[in-house]
Amino acid sequence: MEVLPFAKCRLDGNCLKCPFRGKAIVYGPFKSHRRGISIGINLFPCRKVCSFNCVYCFRGFTEVKTLKPAIPPYSLSPAILREALEKAINTIGSVDAIDFSGSGEPTLHPKLKSYINTVKEFAKEKSLNASIGIFTNSTTLFRNNIVKVLKELDHVEAKLDTVIEWKFRVINRPHKLLSIKKIIEGLFSFRKVFEGTLAIQIMLLKYNRVNNYGLKDARLIGETLLTIEPDIVHVYVPYRIPRLSSVSKPSKQEVVEFSKILREYGLKVKSFI
Ligand code: SF4
């Protein structure tokens, strides 16, 4: 199994064409609208492990769909992660953000806590003024052990594409034990204890005849977010080439309308068209 400590990202953002896709522990840099110059950490090199199998996922098909902590086939020690970070920073220089993301859902890795400690120690030693965060699909936030671990981070970017159960099933293709109600409850309780920045990310898209950006979608998600109280809502569209060709983007006007409705609920919204 070929695992790379660090891979430089393609400039065109077409991850599906990257020869190193999913194989690198640390990857980047990329200029993220949300996080500045950042690098990502992939805890599941060589096998995508996720509780979703989203129709728009540019990381490809979910090979292991699970809700339970999953040990990857490649054993990633904190020392190897440190070495990979060292390589990345020696190549790139300083970064604004270091985010756990990568092939699947990072909170499904049972050793996430020790990796977060490794990154924090590394950033401190190198005097990196970087925000340390995670991109999560929000499916494990109802677990106390995960909440405890994520509380150590500066930034949590949590996915919520729809609050309508049947659309959730069509778009995110979740593990069978998940429901949108359970995810919303997890986000709600997480917000109560998380003191860092909680951003909710909503991907607007059309998949065959289903879309999640109608007036009703916007109102329902607006009402829900009002109770969750995130610091910011990030509305975006598939900007990388999605796995399925039946996925398409809304028009600019539709994104503007959707975001406007969320703002009417008093939410801080940033849209990326
Ligand atoms: S949650 Fe993220 S990694 Fe998992 S399938 Fe969806 S887009 Fe891909």
Side-chain angles (χ1 to χ4, degrees):
M1 183 181 305
E2 190 201 358
V3 174
L4 303 170
F6 169 62
K8 257 191 132 177
C9 284
R10 288 171 67 99
L11 288 175
D12 64 4
N14 187 345
C15 300
L16 286 176
K17 283 200 177 149
C18 175
F20 311 121
R21 182 163 63 96
K23 292 178 182 165
I25 298 164
V26 178
Y27 57 94
F30 40 93
K31 198 167 182 329
S32 154
H33 295 299
R34 293 164 286 183
R35 306 282 285 142
I37 303 289
S38 43
I39 50 173
I41 298 174
N42 177 17
L43 297 183
F44 294 112
C46 298
R47 187 183 285 175
K48 185 181 158 206
V49 176
C50 196
S51 42
F52 283 176
N53 185 18
C54 302
V55 292
Y56 56 80
C57 184
F58 63 89
R59 299 179 200 284
F61 179 77
T62 298
E63 289 156 286
V64 181
K65 194 193 268 188
T66 179
L67 242 194
K68 290 192 183 143
I71 302 276
Y74 174 79
S75 147
L76 172 61
S77 68
I80 296 176
L81 173 58
R82 213 205 123 86
E83 206 185 300
L85 286 166
E86 193 96 50
K87 244 190 181 121
I89 295 301
N90 286 346
T91 313
I92 302 164
S94 86
V95 291
D96 300 315
I98 304 176
D99 290 313
F100 290 87
S101 179
S103 300
E105 172 53 33
T107 63
L108 291 173
H109 199 296
K111 292 191 182 152
L112 177 61
K113 185 177 165 41
S114 61
Y115 301 135
I116 290 177
N117 290 341
T118 303
V119 175
K120 287 180 103 170
E121 279 161 23
F122 177 81
K124 198 171 166 195
E125 267 172 46
K126 301 280 169 185
S127 306
L128 289 176
N129 188 20
S131 162
I132 301 170
I134 197 165
F135 280 64
T136 175
N137 63 13
S138 318
T139 57
T140 56
L141 298 180
F142 62 90
R143 293 200 177 121
N144 288 337
N145 60 330
I146 300 292
V147 170
K148 216 168 146 190
V149 171
L150 298 194
K151 272 169 76 181
E152 299 298 314
L153 295 166
D154 304 310
H155 183 101
V156 171
E157 186 88 22
K159 184 188 293 297
L160 187 68
D161 294 333
T162 176
V163 292
I164 301 172
E165 181 69 28
W166 73 267
K167 290 196 181 186
F168 166 60
R169 305 228 149 253
V170 171
I171 293 169
N172 300 117
R173 298 174 171 187
H175 184 278
K176 59 178 187 297
L177 294 179
L178 285 166
S179 68
I180 200 63
K181 186 169 175 276
K182 195 169 183 149
I183 289 173
I184 292 166
E185 283 168 5
L187 279 165
F188 182 80
S189 54
F190 179 68
R191 169 73 293 182
K192 294 274 170 263
V193 295
F194 180 58
E195 290 173 356
T197 303
L198 174 64
I200 296 290
Q201 55 159 297
I202 307 172
M203 171 77 92
L204 300 184
L205 74 147
K206 188 170 179 195
Y207 171 56
N208 292 325
R209 288 210 210 138
V210 179
N211 78 55
N212 61 343
Y213 47 82
L215 199 68
K216 191 176 165 198
D217 296 275
R219 289 202 177 124
L220 287 175
I221 207 162
E223 281 164 21
T224 305
L225 291 178
L226 206 54
T227 65
I228 295 172
E229 299 181 356
D231 295 289
I232 189 156
V233 182
H234 289 151
V235 175
Y236 69 124
V237 297
Y239 55 96
R240 291 182 172 119
I241 295 172
R243 182 166 56 87
L244 301 174
S245 54
S246 34
V247 172
S248 55
K249 297 178 192 185
S251 67
K252 191 175 170 187
Q253 191 52 31
E254 283 162 329
V255 178
V256 169
E257 285 297 321
F258 186 95
S259 305
K260 190 173 154 235
I261 293 172
L262 295 193
R263 287 191 190 102
E264 284 168 10
Y265 284 89
L267 296 157
K268 188 172 172 199
V269 181
K270 207 166 172 195
S271 40
F272 306 97
I273 302 169

